[in-house]
Amino acid sequence: MILKELVVGPFGSNCFIVGSEANKEGMIIDPGANGESIVNAARSLGLSIVLIVATHNHIDHVGALRHVKDATGAEYAIHEDDVEGMSPAVFGRMLGVMMGGSFKSPPKPDRLLHGGDVIELGDLKFTVLHTPGHTRGGISLVGDGVVFSGDTLFNFGVGRTDLSGGDYATLINSIMTGLMSLPDDTIVYPGHGPTTTIGAERKRNPFLV
């Protein structure tokens, strides 16, 4: 698996470029800002980007989505429960300025995701886990010994639940019944902050013990 992490935007969001060694198909997860840098990084890896996935609909994870989609021609996918709330009115002009001044609202998704869906990239397969709580349609992607957890699970932390669509009990349930069912050695790539493992979070995450 080809994997590159970029920290983008004023909120320090993690954007991931994932690709297959076999056929160089790739996807971009959470293009939150700095679209040109994301596209250039994907090109430097020799990947043909066929899919852009948003783990949830917050602007710090989709702020550069339109730029990346226009530049790559890739399809864009998000969970059906997070399509609502992505209009320019919701994001607001000020947030757009914060994300770089030339913000364009995300396009309509080409693919609506559901829990249990499988995303294929050459020889790679990632299963969609519906992990609501941070937002109603929050997802995590599991495959090849890793999980991209969005803003559901962090290194010794969990996502905030005080924004629209957030619910603390739902978030903890998503983590305990979904993410904590994965093997301990599963590497967690969160939406913010450093990498961790399921085992480390199971043992020491103060929100889960």
Side-chain angles (χ1 to χ4, degrees), residues 12 28-29 37 48 60-61 64 68 74 88 99 101 109-110 114 116 133 143 147 151 153 170 176 191-192 203:
I28 293 172
I29 302 171
S37 296
S48 174
D60 56 327
H61 292 259
V68 172
M99 300 308 291
D110 302 290
H114 310 84
V147 58
D151 283 7
L153 179 67
T170 301
M176 297 305 294
H192 299 269
K203 292 178 180 177

Side-chain angles (χ1 to χ4, degrees), residues 45-205:
L45 295 171
L47 295 177
S48 174
I49 301 300
V50 297
L51 185 65
I52 305 163
V53 178
T55 61
H56 60 290
N57 65 7
H58 288 165
I59 190 171
D60 56 327
H61 292 259
V62 300
L65 200 157
R66 183 176 288 275
H67 180 109
V68 172
K69 180 173 172 58
D70 288 347
T72 63
E75 291 192 337
Y76 150 51
I78 191 171
H79 192 277
E80 63 175 354
D81 291 344
D82 261 13
V83 175
E84 294 295 327
M86 297 190 73
S87 69
V90 172
F91 283 138
R93 177 178 294 181
M94 184 173 295
L95 281 177
V97 171
M98 289 174 65
M99 300 308 291
S102 58
F103 171 76
K104 296 180 180 179
S105 62
K108 292 182 179 180
D110 302 290
R111 178 177 176 183
L112 296 180
L113 299 174
H114 310 84
D117 286 355
V118 176
I119 293 171
E120 297 189 19
L121 297 170
D123 58 338
L124 301 176
K125 292 185 179 181
F126 295 92
T127 300
V128 176
L129 291 185
H130 184 204
T131 49
H134 181 64
T135 64
R136 294 184 183 89
I139 62 167
S140 300
L141 299 178
V142 181
D144 207 50
V146 308
V147 58
F148 300 96
S149 62
D151 283 7
T152 299
L153 179 67
F154 300 133
N155 186 320
F156 300 153
V158 299
R160 63 187 296 178
T161 58
D162 59 334
L163 300 175
S164 177
D167 181 81
Y168 184 76
T170 301
L171 180 78
I172 296 301
N173 182 67
S174 292
I175 295 171
M176 297 305 294
T177 62
L179 296 178
M180 289 299 114
S181 69
L182 301 175
D184 280 352
D185 60 355
T186 303
I187 300 171
V188 180
Y189 291 101
H192 299 269
T195 300
T196 182
T197 66
I198 290 295
E201 299 310 307
R202 195 191 315 278
K203 292 178 180 177
R204 296 191 293 272
N205 190 309

